[in-house]
Every structure is written in C-alpha cells, then in structure tokens.
C-alpha cells in the first residue's frame, strides 16, 4: 500500500525553479550531493562484499544455514546499517543534513530492488544490471523531505534545510500564490544540477485543482481527435478528427539539430585540448582548465536545446488537453525503435532523440486529468499508419520514407501523418463510447480490440495473423526462414 494517498480533488504537481546560490551555498550544495554519493557507494560496497562472500562460501560446500547472514536491501535496513557505520566511515557526517545520506540510500534501495526483480523475472522491460558506483561526474542531486522547506514571501528566495535561504533565478509567484491561498502544500524539495552548471530546485506540491477546462477556452470545436507523433517532414504532432478534418499540426522544434554546428565546433575544440584521458599513454590525467571551460560550453548548448524542446512540448500538450475532450495517442516503444540498425540509422536515432516522442504521452497523461479530458492509448501494435482511413484496407509494408499514403484499393492519396491521426481518432471515438472496440462504421478498424499494449520493451516477434508487426521503419532484419530481407514498421510507429 502506498505511504501517501492523494485526496480527492487534489493532485501532486512539481514546481521547478532555477537557483542563484552564493559561493558558500554552492559549496554546501556540492557537499550535500557528495555526501549522498558517498553513502550510496559505501553501502553498495558493503552489499557487494556480502554477496561475494556468500557466493564464495557456496563454492566451499557450505550449506545455506551456515552462510554469512544476508543483508537487507530495503531503505530502512540500509539506513540502520549506515547509522551503525557512519561514525567510523564518515566522521564528517554531521556537516550535512541527514536528508543527503537518505537520498543516496534511497537511490541504492531502488536500484537494488529493480535489479533483484529483473533478475527474478518480476520486472517487465529490458534487463536491469547490478548497480554501479557513482562518481563526481554523475548527476548531483539531493532530496529534502523534512525540516524547513518553504518559499519566501518576497517570491525570489527559497529556504531549504542546512542550506539556508537561496535566491531564485526566476520568481516563485505561481507556487507562492498557491500556498498563500491554501490550495498547495509542499511535500518535498529536490535540488539538482544540470549539464550547464545551473542548480535547480523542484518542489513536490499537493495542489487542489478544479479538474476542468479553463473558462477562457470555451466549448471544444473538435471533441475527439487522434494524435500522430513523428519526426519526419517537420511535423511533431498531427491532430485530426474521425471525419478527416485536420485539427492541428505542431512543427518539430528540432532544437538539438539546430545546435549541431555549434556542438561540432566545441567538440572538436575539446578534442584538441588536454582532456581527462591520455590516449597515447593510455592513462588518466588531470584535464586543463581550457578543456573544462569548453566542456561547460557544450553542457550549456545541450541544456538550451533541452529547454527549447521541453517548452514546445509543454505548450502543445497543454493546448491539446484544454481544447479536446478525448485524445487518442499511440503507445510507442521509443527505446526499442532506437535499439537496432547500427550506423545506417544514426540520422533517424538522432531525430527520435531530438523529438522526445515518449514525453508527449507522459505529459498528456497528467494534463488530461487536470483539464477533465480523456486520454485513450492505442495498442502498441495498432496499425494506424498502415490502415487506409477511407476503405480500411491495410498495407503489408510501409517505409518511413513514404510520406504520402496511397491506397491500392480505393485510390485515396493522403498525407501519411494525417491518415494515421484519423485512424486514431476513430479509435478514441468508439473507445470513449463503449471501451471495447476501435474504429467506427464498417471499417475493418472497427473490429480491432482496444488494449494498453504490452507495456514492456521486448524483442520483436513474428506478427500473428491480422497484425502488422515488425521492427521500426527503414531497419533491415533477417528472415532466414524465407531467405529474404525486407523492412517493416511497427503498428503505430512514429511517422
């Protein structure tokens, strides 16, 4: 059972602000992040030593009853073991908040639990490896759940335990108004450092929301729409109704693609400078200050591309959730789409990473709850792109380079993304009515079952009869049973 249950009419929402800490405060932030990393690595070494000792004892023929006692992996067990060892392992532990050490132990407990469940077959998705030791180059993060956590009345400062009052780079008026009105309560605060060197604080807040469409939006013009996501032809999102009307088209921001020229120049400069590894001597070395400055500039370019992408996705998904009652989307395995293909798919993989397709469905999942709309997720193998929206016939193969859908049966010629969005809209229309079947009318799509997908990233298997399975578009895969090679795209693939 969950420790905390969200009351009716309330949601858990995050408010994120950039920080401008003073030099002493930044040193304290680094100290807390380092303390979290030290506690995690120290306890991970202890867990690994116990596992190795028990494995060695088994090779000697010792029974399970005579083995070294096993060590608990839960957060309370790790915390008890850390409290018993911190006086000798970290005599300086009192310099930082106890929340710093709890952050590292919580990360370790989650990682060990994921590895254990994956190893025992209790976790879906790709296999999870044994946790690794973190270094100072990993992401710095610390989470506060107790102590003084508040937003100051001047709306330009926040107060955190042991860190004091820190100035924010942007105003905190949105969160401050919630707290002053009694419609918001801070649960925790997480401080992180991004690739550009900027520190951020994210408040986890319990917020009371009306769970309805804002008054300024008015009645929806198109209640039910289908949403097709893609990376080609400059269209990130294409929304359409079940009767074939295009309700909207959002161009792809392509912020990372636009920054490639700047990144190439900086990365070539860093390659000419003294880095942390000497390739000739094959050993580590102390990098030069110029290399550090160049790496900082590279991080700022990546952080700006991330911010531009996130801003475009937030604006698009908010507009969709406010203006439509039902939104039908694809369930894509983006990680699986990027897994195979090698260098031939390098351009496509870069475009998939730049588009952040998985973020669209994640944002719509909670924003549809905020604004009272319904999100319908198509089955991962639903053939939205291969099915003709006019006659319902299905193409056995559709390359990603084919941007226009041409039906061989009814002769319909339509934009590929618009055709997929229409099929998804029909799925959402009928799913919202009875929740059992997809499509409308006499189209073959009306006889497809609605499902939530497999949920886990798995290897592609041969598609059963009536399904349009296969790997991602433009990826060659061997069909040794027939002695042929071909290309196929998954049903509901990114287009």
């Amino acid at each position: 059972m969950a420790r905390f249950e969200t009351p009716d009419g309330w949601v858990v929402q995050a408010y994120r602000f950039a920080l401008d800490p003073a030099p002493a405060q930044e040193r304290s932030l680094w100290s807390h992040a380092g303390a979290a990393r030290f506690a995690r690595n120290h306890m991970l070494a202890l867990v690994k030593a116990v596992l190795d000792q028990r494995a060695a004892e088994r090779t000697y023929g010792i029974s399970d009853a005579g083995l070294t006692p096993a060590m608990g992996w839960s957060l309370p067990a790790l915390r008890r073991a850390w409290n018993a060892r911190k006086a000798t392992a970290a005599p300086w532990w009192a310099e930082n908040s106890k929340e710093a050490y709890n952050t590292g132990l919580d990360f370790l407990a989650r990682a060990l639990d994921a590895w254990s469940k994956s190893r025992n077959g209790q976790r879906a998705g790709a296999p999870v490896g044994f946790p690794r030791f973190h270094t100072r180059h990993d992401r710095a993060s610390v989470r506060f759940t107790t102590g003084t956590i508040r937003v100051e009345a001047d709306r330009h400062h926040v107060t955190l335990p042991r860190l004091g009052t820190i100035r924010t780079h942007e105003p905190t008026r949105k969160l401050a108004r919630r707290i002053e009105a009694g419609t918001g309560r801070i649960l925790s605060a997480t401080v992180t450092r991004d690739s550009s060197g900027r520190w951020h604080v994210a408040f986890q807040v319990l917020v009371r929301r009306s769970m309805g469409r804002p008054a300024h939006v008015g009645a929806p013009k198109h209640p039910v729409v289908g949403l097709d996501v893609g990376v080609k032809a400059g269209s990130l999102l294409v929304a359409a109704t079940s009767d074939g009307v295009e309700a909207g088209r959002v161009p792809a921001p392509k912020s990372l693609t636009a920054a490639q020229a700047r990144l190439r120049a900086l990365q070539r400069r860093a390659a000419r400078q003294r880095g942390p590894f000497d390739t000739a001597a094959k050993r580590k070395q102390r990098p030069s200050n110029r290399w550090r400055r160049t790496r900082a500039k590279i991080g700022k370019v990546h952080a700006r591309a991330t911010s531009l992408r996130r801003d475009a996705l937030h604006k698009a998904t908010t507009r969709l959730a406010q203006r439509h009652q039902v939104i039908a989307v694809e369930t894509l395995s983006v990680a699986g789409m990027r897994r195979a293909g090698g260098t031939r798919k390098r351009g496509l993989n870069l475009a998939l990473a730049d588009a952040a397709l998985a973020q669209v469905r994640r944002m719509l999942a909670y924003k549809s709850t905020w604004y009272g709309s319904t999100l319908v997720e198509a089955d991962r193998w639903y053939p939205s792109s291969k099915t003709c929206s006019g006659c319902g016939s299905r193409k056995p193969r559709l390359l990603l380079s084919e941007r226009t859908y041409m039906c061989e049966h009814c002769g319909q010629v339509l934009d590929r993304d618009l055709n997929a969005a229409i099929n998804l809209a029909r799925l959402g229309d009928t799913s919202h009515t009875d929740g059992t079947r997809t499509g409308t009318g006499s189209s073959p799509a009306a006889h497809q079952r609605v499902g939530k997908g497999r949920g886990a990233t798995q290897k592609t298997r041969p598609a059963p009869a009536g399904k349009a399975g296969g790997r991602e578009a433009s990826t060659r895969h061997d069909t040794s049973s027939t002695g042929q090679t071909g290309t196929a795209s998954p049903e509901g693939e990114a287009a």
Side-chain angles (χ1 to χ4, degrees):
M1 185 176 179
R3 302 180 190 174
F4 177 80
E5 294 184 0
T6 305
D8 295 336
W10 295 72
V11 297
V12 178
Q13 185 176 341
Y15 287 83
R16 186 170 180 262
F17 305 101
L19 298 177
D20 282 335
Q25 292 174 332
E26 187 171 8
R27 289 193 296 270
S28 182
L29 286 172
W30 276 117
S31 178
H32 278 71
R37 183 179 67 251
F38 179 87
R40 182 189 185 278
N41 290 344
H42 180 78
M43 296 308 299
L44 177 58
L46 179 60
V47 170
K48 189 174 183 302
V50 172
L51 289 176
D52 293 342
Q53 178 65 24
R54 288 172 62 88
E57 291 174 352
R58 287 192 181 95
T59 61
Y60 302 148
I62 301 176
S63 62
D64 292 344
L67 296 178
T68 299
M71 182 176 176
W73 294 348
S74 64
L75 179 58
L78 292 175
R79 189 184 295 137
R80 286 192 298 269
W82 165 256
N83 289 334
R85 300 169 63 89
K86 64 183 180 182
T88 55
W92 39 263
W93 65 270
E95 300 177 5
N96 302 294
S97 171
K98 64 177 182 179
E99 296 290 345
Y101 309 104
N102 186 76
T103 299
L105 299 179
D106 184 45
F107 287 163
L108 178 59
R110 293 176 185 271
L112 289 171
D113 181 67
W115 170 74
S116 178
K117 290 183 177 179
S118 177
R119 188 183 183 188
N120 297 331
Q122 301 175 0
R123 177 186 171 93
V128 178
F130 191 78
R132 64 177 181 85
F133 293 96
H134 283 185
T135 67
R136 67 181 64 183
H137 303 293
D138 289 299
R139 186 182 185 185
S141 176
V142 59
R143 183 170 182 258
F144 299 94
T145 58
T146 60
T148 304
I149 304 174
R150 66 171 179 261
V151 177
E152 297 299 335
D154 63 356
R155 301 180 181 181
H156 284 282
H157 292 81
V158 296
T159 301
L160 299 174
R162 298 296 297 270
L163 299 175
T165 302
I166 306 176
R167 181 174 179 82
T168 59
H169 188 70
E170 49 195 339
T172 61
R173 63 172 65 94
K174 288 186 177 181
L175 177 57
R177 289 171 181 170
R178 287 279 189 184
I179 297 175
E180 292 172 0
T183 58
R185 181 167 66 91
I186 297 177
L187 302 179
S188 65
T190 304
V191 182
T192 56
R193 184 178 184 271
D194 62 11
S195 59
S196 66
R198 168 77 68 180
W199 291 91
H200 297 264
V201 58
F203 292 99
Q204 187 182 27
V205 186
L206 185 65
V207 178
R208 177 183 292 172
R209 299 190 66 98
S210 59
M211 302 295 180
R213 186 170 287 100
H216 69 274
V217 176
K221 184 178 179 180
H222 304 292
V224 182
V225 296
L227 188 64
D228 181 74
V229 296
V231 296
K232 292 292 185 179
S235 296
L236 176 64
L237 303 174
V238 177
T241 62
S242 58
D243 54 359
V245 178
E246 183 174 323
R249 186 181 291 262
V250 179
K254 295 188 176 181
S255 55
L256 184 60
T257 303
Q260 285 303 305
R262 177 64 174 163
L263 283 175
R264 282 194 293 268
L266 291 174
Q267 288 166 350
R268 288 171 180 170
R269 182 190 303 176
R272 294 191 297 266
Q273 295 169 342
R274 179 186 175 92
F277 186 77
D278 188 354
T279 55
K282 296 182 179 181
R283 60 179 178 84
K284 293 182 179 181
Q285 61 183 4
R286 184 176 182 179
S288 64
N289 291 331
R290 291 187 178 183
W291 181 89
R292 295 179 187 273
R293 288 194 292 267
T294 304
R295 294 298 301 176
K297 292 180 180 179
I298 293 175
K300 290 182 179 180
V301 173
H302 279 289
R304 174 175 171 78
T306 303
S307 299
L308 292 174
R309 182 190 306 115
R310 185 188 297 116
D311 178 71
L313 291 178
H314 272 297
K315 290 178 178 178
T317 52
T318 299
R319 187 165 54 249
L320 287 168
Q322 290 179 346
R323 296 184 179 182
H324 307 289
Q325 291 181 352
V326 181
I327 307 171
V329 297
E330 303 169 290
T331 304
L332 300 174
S333 174
V334 181
M337 295 167 64
R338 298 178 57 190
R339 184 169 293 118
T343 57
R344 294 183 298 102
K345 274 186 54 187
R346 185 167 48 193
L348 177 60
N349 288 342
L350 176 62
L352 289 170
D354 196 6
L357 302 183
Q359 295 294 326
V360 176
R361 183 164 57 93
R362 185 190 66 84
M363 292 180 180
L364 284 174
Y366 65 85
K367 291 183 180 181
S368 59
T369 305
W370 291 356
Y371 303 115
S373 55
T374 302
L375 182 66
V376 178
E377 298 179 5
D379 188 273
R380 181 172 295 179
W381 301 100
Y382 177 68
S384 60
S385 297
K386 295 182 181 181
T387 303
C388 176
S389 59
C391 65
S393 60
R394 185 183 304 173
K395 281 191 173 184
R397 182 177 302 172
L398 186 65
L399 299 179
L400 188 59
S401 58
E402 300 178 28
R403 304 312 308 167
T404 302
Y405 187 92
M406 294 180 291
C407 182
E408 301 174 354
H409 294 80
C410 66
Q412 176 176 251
V413 179
L414 192 63
D415 178 74
R416 172 201 179 110
D417 299 333
L418 181 59
N419 177 75
I422 295 172
N423 290 327
L424 290 169
R426 293 173 181 172
L427 166 73
D429 195 358
T430 309
S431 298
H432 185 61
T433 302
D434 56 19
T436 56
R437 298 186 182 277
T438 68
T440 57
S442 59
S443 168
H447 303 288
Q448 296 293 331
R449 292 282 179 178
V450 178
K452 295 183 179 180
R454 296 178 298 169
T457 302
Q458 299 179 3
K459 292 184 178 179
T460 304
R461 297 191 179 101
K467 294 288 186 177
R471 292 191 181 181
E472 60 275 10
S474 304
T475 302
R476 223 177 266 115
H477 59 279
D478 184 21
T479 54
S480 56
S481 59
T482 59
Q484 298 177 355
T485 59
T487 56
S489 59
E491 301 166 350
E493 76 283 11

